[in-house]
C-alpha cells in the first residue's frame, strides 16, 4: 500500500470521526418543521428557537423572535425587559459550543479563576484564634460588592486585570490597600484609582466594570460598551500532555486576538448562601 493511499485512508477516518456526532444525531419534529435538538429548542410544538453557546433561547410573542432568558424576561404584554441586577451572592458557570465549556463551574485557585476538570478549588482555614472552620463550605462564591465570599480579615476581591483582561482575585488585602467602601446600590466595586497589591511590587489592579444580571449573564462593561463575551483560554500545566492536566482561565476581551482561546458566555447563579464560600481562597 502506498504512502499516499495510507494518508488518504487516515484522513477519511479522521473526517468520519469528526463528523459522526452530527451525522448520528436524529432529526426531531416541531409542528411541520424538522430540526436538530442540539441546535434548536421546540416550544409548544410550533416555534423553533436557536441554541446559542449551548444555552436555549425562548420565544416572546410580542417581540416576534427568540430571546436569551439570561438577559431578558418576556412580560405578559409581550415586551422584553432586561433582567434586574443581582443583589445576592452568586456562583459563575461558563457556557460554550464545546462540551468542555458547558455548564462549567468557575473555581478559584492560586489567584486565578478557571474552569475544567483540572481547574482546582483551593481554600484554607485554621482554628487559630477560635475560628470555627466547620461553618464554611468549599464553593467559589462571589458578592456583588466585589468581594469573594471569604471571611479572612482584610477580605478578598475579584477583579479584571486591565492589562490582559484576566478574571482573578486577590488574597486578603492589608487595610491600607482596601478599595473604597462599595455603595449599597453599586453593582461591583469601582476603585476611583488603581490599588497596589501589597505583596507584589508595582502590580496595580483596576476596579471592576461588570454588570451582573440576577440569575443571568455576567457582562463586562468597558466604558459603556457592554460585552456578553469572555475568553476561555487553555492552560496546560507543567508535565501535562494534550489531554491531561488542563484547565481554561477566564479573560475579558481586552486583547482581541488571544491564542488558544474560544469565546464563551458566563452566567451568574444568584441567591447562593454566602456561607457556601470558604474562610480563605489560596
Amino acid at each position: 500500500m502506498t504512502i499516499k493511499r495510507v494518508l488518504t485512508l487516515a484522513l477519511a477516518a479522521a473526517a468520519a470521526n469528526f463528523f459522526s456526532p452530527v451525522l448520528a444525531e436524529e432529526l426531531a419534529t416541531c409542528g411541520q418543521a424538522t430540526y436538530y435538538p442540539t441546535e434548536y429548542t421546540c416550544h409548544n410544538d410550533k416555534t423553533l428557537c436557536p441554541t446559542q453557546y449551548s444555552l436555549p433561547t425562548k420565544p416572546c410573542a410580542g417581540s416576534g423572535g427568540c430571546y436569551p432568558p439570561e438577559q431578558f424576561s418576556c412580560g405578559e404584554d409581550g415586551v422584553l425587559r432586561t433582567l434586574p441586577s443581582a443583589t445576592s451572592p452568586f456562583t459563575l458557570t461558563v457556557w460554550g459550543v464545546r462540551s468542555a465549556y458547558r455548564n462549567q463551574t468557575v473555581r478559584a485557585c492560586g489567584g486565578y479563576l478557571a474552569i475544567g476538570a483540572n481547574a482546582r478549588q483551593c481554600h484554607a482555614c485554621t482554628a487559630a484564634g477560635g475560628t470555627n472552620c466547620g461553618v464554611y463550605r468549599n464553593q467559589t462564591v462571589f458578592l456583588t460588592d466585589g468581594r469573594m465570599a471569604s471571611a479572612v480579615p482584610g477580605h478578598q476581591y475579584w477583579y479584571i486585570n486591565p492589562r490582559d483582561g484576566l478574571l482573578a482575585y486577590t488574597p486578603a488585602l492589608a487595610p491600607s490597600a482596601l478599595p473604597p467602601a462599595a455603595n449599597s446600590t453599586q453593582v461591583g466595586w469601582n476603585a476611583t484609582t488603581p490599588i497596589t497589591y501589597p505583596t507584589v511590587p508595582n502590580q496595580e489592579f483596576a476596579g471592576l466594570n461588570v454588570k451582573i444580571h440576577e440569575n443571568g449573564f455576567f457582562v463586562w462593561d468597558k466604558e459603556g460598551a457592554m460585552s456578553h463575551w469572555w475568553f476561555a483560554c487553555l492552560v496546560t500545566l507543567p508535565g501535562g500532555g494534550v489531554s491531561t492536566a488542563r484547565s481554561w482561565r477566564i479573560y475579558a476581551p481586552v486583547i482581541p486576538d488571544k491564542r488558544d482561546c474560544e469565546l464563551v458566555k458566563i452566567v451568574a447563579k444568584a441567591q447562593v448562601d454566602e456561607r457556601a464560600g470558604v474562610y480563605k481562597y489560596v
Side-chain angles (χ1 to χ4, degrees):
M1 185 177 292
T2 65
I3 294 177
K4 182 177 180 180
R5 176 62 174 168
V6 172
L7 290 175
T8 300
L9 292 174
L11 290 172
N17 288 334
F18 180 81
F19 289 108
S20 59
V22 175
L23 296 176
E25 184 179 7
E26 296 184 1
L27 285 168
T29 59
C30 186
Q32 300 298 314
T34 58
Y35 69 100
Y36 287 113
T38 57
E39 298 178 3
Y40 292 90
T41 300
C42 179
H43 299 272
N44 301 320
D45 197 30
K46 63 179 181 179
T47 303
L48 284 174
C49 283
T51 297
Q52 299 176 343
Y53 284 73
S54 302
L55 292 167
T57 58
K58 294 182 177 181
C60 186
S63 69
C66 300
Y67 70 97
E70 296 81 14
Q71 185 178 0
F72 302 104
S73 63
C74 178
E76 295 182 358
D77 54 2
V79 175
L80 286 178
R81 294 178 175 83
T82 302
L83 293 180
S85 298
T87 59
S88 59
F90 60 94
T91 57
L92 293 176
T93 56
V94 171
W95 292 83
V97 174
R98 293 178 54 182
S99 59
Y101 306 141
R102 295 175 190 168
N103 198 23
Q104 286 286 312
T105 301
V106 174
R107 298 188 178 101
C109 185
Y112 300 103
L113 294 166
I115 60 170
N118 291 287
R120 296 179 297 163
Q121 177 76 27
C122 303
H123 57 95
C125 180
T126 63
T131 301
N132 182 3
C133 296
V135 301
Y136 305 103
R137 282 177 263 171
N138 61 355
Q139 296 185 40
T140 299
V141 180
F142 306 83
L143 307 182
T144 58
D145 63 1
R147 289 179 294 143
M148 302 288 288
S150 62
V152 63
H155 298 298
Q156 295 175 265
Y157 291 81
W158 51 277
Y159 66 93
I160 297 171
N161 191 312
R163 284 186 295 279
D164 60 3
L166 177 66
L167 183 61
Y169 66 95
T170 71
L173 295 178
S176 60
L178 290 177
N183 186 297
S184 60
T185 61
Q186 203 172 354
V187 178
W189 64 272
N190 290 274
T192 55
T193 57
I195 60 174
T196 300
Y197 176 42
T199 62
V200 180
N202 303 319
Q203 179 67 68
E204 293 182 339
F205 296 98
L208 295 175
N209 294 292
V210 173
K211 170 75 173 179
I212 311 161
H213 295 295
E214 185 81 9
N215 287 312
F217 286 136
F218 183 78
V219 183
W220 179 54
D221 181 3
K222 177 63 174 176
E223 299 176 352
M226 307 293 282
S227 172
H228 290 77
W229 307 104
W230 299 78
F231 284 125
C233 300
L234 179 63
V235 176
T236 301
L237 301 179
V242 172
S243 61
T244 61
R246 301 195 300 173
S247 64
W248 287 263
R249 292 177 184 170
I250 309 301
Y251 292 79
V254 172
I255 301 175
D257 56 349
K258 297 184 71 65
R259 299 182 61 184
D260 295 325
C261 301
E262 292 190 30
L263 290 173
V264 295
K265 293 194 174 185
I266 303 180
V267 176
K269 295 184 177 181
Q271 299 176 349
V272 177
D273 188 342
E274 185 174 345
R275 292 172 296 181
V278 303
Y279 176 77
K280 180 181 181 180
Y281 296 98
V282 296

